[in-house]
Amino acid sequence: MTHAPRHRGGHGDRRPWWRNAVFYQVYPRSFADSTGDGNGDLRGVVERMPYIASLGVDALWLSPFYPSPQVDGGYDVADYCDVDPRYGTLADFDALVAAAHDAGLRVTIDLVPNHCSDRHPWFAAAVAAGRGSAERARFHFRDGRGPGGHEAPNNWRSVFGGRSWTRVREPDGSAGQWYYHLFAPEQPDLNWDNPGVLADFEDILRFWLDRGVDGFRIDTADSLIKDPRWPDTPDGSPVIPKDSGSPVHGIYRAFRRVLDAYPGDRMAVLETGAPDDVVALFLRGDEMHLAFNIRFVKAPWRRAALREAIGASLAANAAVGAPTTWVTDNHDNPRSVTRYAQDPHGPHARDVVAGAGGADLAL
């Protein structure tokens, strides 16, 4: 589908739309229910598109709507090229894109390249194929340590708690290898050292771009490359290898080439919690377009902290000619009204909010 949105900028404005766009996140499961079954769905978003447009925003960011067991709010993807039946069908998705474009809005969707669901056919095939198989090379399977391989390959800890390794049963029923997961055990990490993974994700990008998607929000964007030595660490934190820069930037240059092959200034925004100067490296002219400004969203409601976050972000991005994003809310943080009211320096939260227009925030 190639239906394009109406132009919302002023006459003669030739800047790409994403450089000054306002994005509005829609979490499909809770946004609007068109069927009365208690779950939000894509048709519900379509029905409320006039409301979204009335907010004055320029683009939607649609949280995952893919088939998923919902272990992690849909970020455990079981099929990257379909719609979960609880949300509707691909035809409903096409209707959403058309409705958004008719309202002058762009559509961006979540892309989850770090991991998939353990229900994805890729992972099922990897478990079934056994040790040393091409299917297992798509993930991080390793033999365990100690007698019988009963200990995990290293001491790394999951973001969600507990160890980052889960053991599988081999096809013959014996206790087998371990696979790595940065998040839940149901979210095995993909092995981006395997060129087949990149090829598949290039196809995934094209699948949605062909349906008219204007951009992607790339989840956990800076964690794709793992240290192949799998060393123990003092606190169990995972290690990003020092020489990972070239591979990970190569991945995003490949993504950029796919995006640039389509008309309409297609784009991608990265989620990364890296320092400002590292984030900026992802935003060079041949890589991605935007990055979530995590420093800004986490800054407390204090003049000095906000000034520092704004100044550092502007300086780092200016070095590569990229705009800076101003993130106030997303699904990983409390809403801004609640967050800013929770003054970490004292009990007078209401006073902090009430003083928003005063000297405390004179930047």
Side-chain angles (χ1 to χ4, degrees):
M1 177 169 289
T2 57
H3 192 120
R6 295 197 303 268
H7 178 65
R8 290 169 63 89
H11 294 295
D13 187 353
R14 297 184 179 180
R15 292 177 298 176
W17 64 271
W18 46 266
R19 289 192 71 96
N20 61 347
V22 177
F23 291 77
Y24 181 86
Q25 182 179 8
V26 171
Y27 189 72
R29 192 169 185 175
S30 63
F31 185 74
D33 176 11
S34 71
T35 64
D37 67 356
N39 284 305
D41 48 56
L42 298 185
R43 281 286 170 185
V45 181
V46 171
E47 291 174 359
R48 285 157 179 78
M49 200 66 70
Y51 162 74
I52 298 173
S54 75
L55 299 175
V57 301
D58 302 289
L60 305 183
W61 159 26
L62 203 61
S63 295
F65 52 83
Y66 311 106
S68 168
Q70 297 292 321
V71 170
D72 184 23
Y75 286 92
D76 48 320
V77 179
D79 186 340
Y80 287 96
C81 295
D82 205 351
V83 173
D84 194 306
R86 78 189 73 201
Y87 299 139
T89 64
L90 281 171
D92 293 328
F93 179 85
D94 292 341
L96 186 155
V97 172
H101 287 174
D102 284 342
L105 302 174
R106 308 279 181 161
V107 178
T108 60
I109 65 174
D110 253 303
L111 184 72
V112 189
N114 182 71
H115 51 265
C116 65
S117 168
D118 63 350
R119 304 286 185 87
H120 196 290
W122 293 341
F123 190 72
V127 174
R131 284 182 169 87
S133 63
E135 291 83 356
R136 287 207 178 176
R138 184 181 292 276
F139 300 91
H140 297 287
F141 277 88
R142 295 291 181 273
D143 291 331
R145 299 187 293 187
H150 292 306
E151 298 178 19
N154 67 17
N155 71 338
W156 292 6
R157 307 291 291 176
S158 164
V159 171
F160 290 164
R163 64 189 175 198
S164 282
W165 297 92
T166 295
R167 200 173 193 186
V168 300
R169 287 283 172 185
E170 297 297 343
D172 63 4
S174 64
Q177 290 187 300
W178 301 72
Y179 67 88
Y180 177 75
H181 48 88
L182 179 61
F183 295 96
E186 296 88 352
Q187 294 171 286
D189 279 37
L190 291 158
N191 178 12
W192 279 89
D193 291 324
N194 183 335
V197 174
L198 174 58
D200 283 332
F201 271 85
E202 288 174 325
D203 288 342
I204 291 164
L205 291 172
R206 294 186 187 100
F207 178 87
W208 294 108
L209 290 166
D210 287 343
R211 304 192 89 87
V213 163
D214 300 289
F216 300 87
R217 179 261 188 185
I218 301 179
D219 181 68
T220 318
D222 57 354
S223 299
L224 304 188
I225 304 299
K226 311 307 190 289
D227 191 326
R229 300 170 302 160
W230 303 102
D232 282 345
T233 56
D235 60 356
S237 298
V239 175
I240 297 175
K242 292 181 179 179
D243 59 352
S244 68
S246 179
V248 75
H249 290 294
I251 292 166
Y252 292 124
R253 289 189 179 102
F255 281 14
R256 180 62 179 263
R257 289 191 292 271
V258 173
L259 294 167
D260 285 349
Y262 286 78
D265 294 320
R266 312 297 177 98
M267 57 78 67
V269 54
L270 299 173
E271 182 207 25
T272 168
D276 294 308
D277 57 339
V278 176
V279 173
L281 295 177
F282 289 101
L283 304 180
R284 291 173 290 189
D286 61 346
E287 294 193 42
M288 298 290 88
H289 304 78
L290 299 171
F292 272 31
N293 192 332
I294 303 298
R295 174 194 280 264
F296 181 76
V297 76
K298 291 187 177 298
W301 193 247
R302 282 287 179 262
R303 175 176 56 194
L306 288 170
R307 180 193 292 274
E308 180 183 3
I310 291 169
S313 303
L314 286 172
N317 284 13
V320 295
T324 301
T325 62
W326 307 113
V327 181
T328 59
D329 299 90
N330 66 23
H331 63 276
D332 286 325
N333 295 281
R335 295 193 181 242
S336 53
V337 171
T338 300
R339 192 173 68 253
Y340 290 141
Q342 292 174 340
D343 177 16
H345 301 284
H348 306 296
R350 292 183 182 277
D351 295 337
V352 173
V353 175
D360 191 54
L361 288 178
L363 302 177

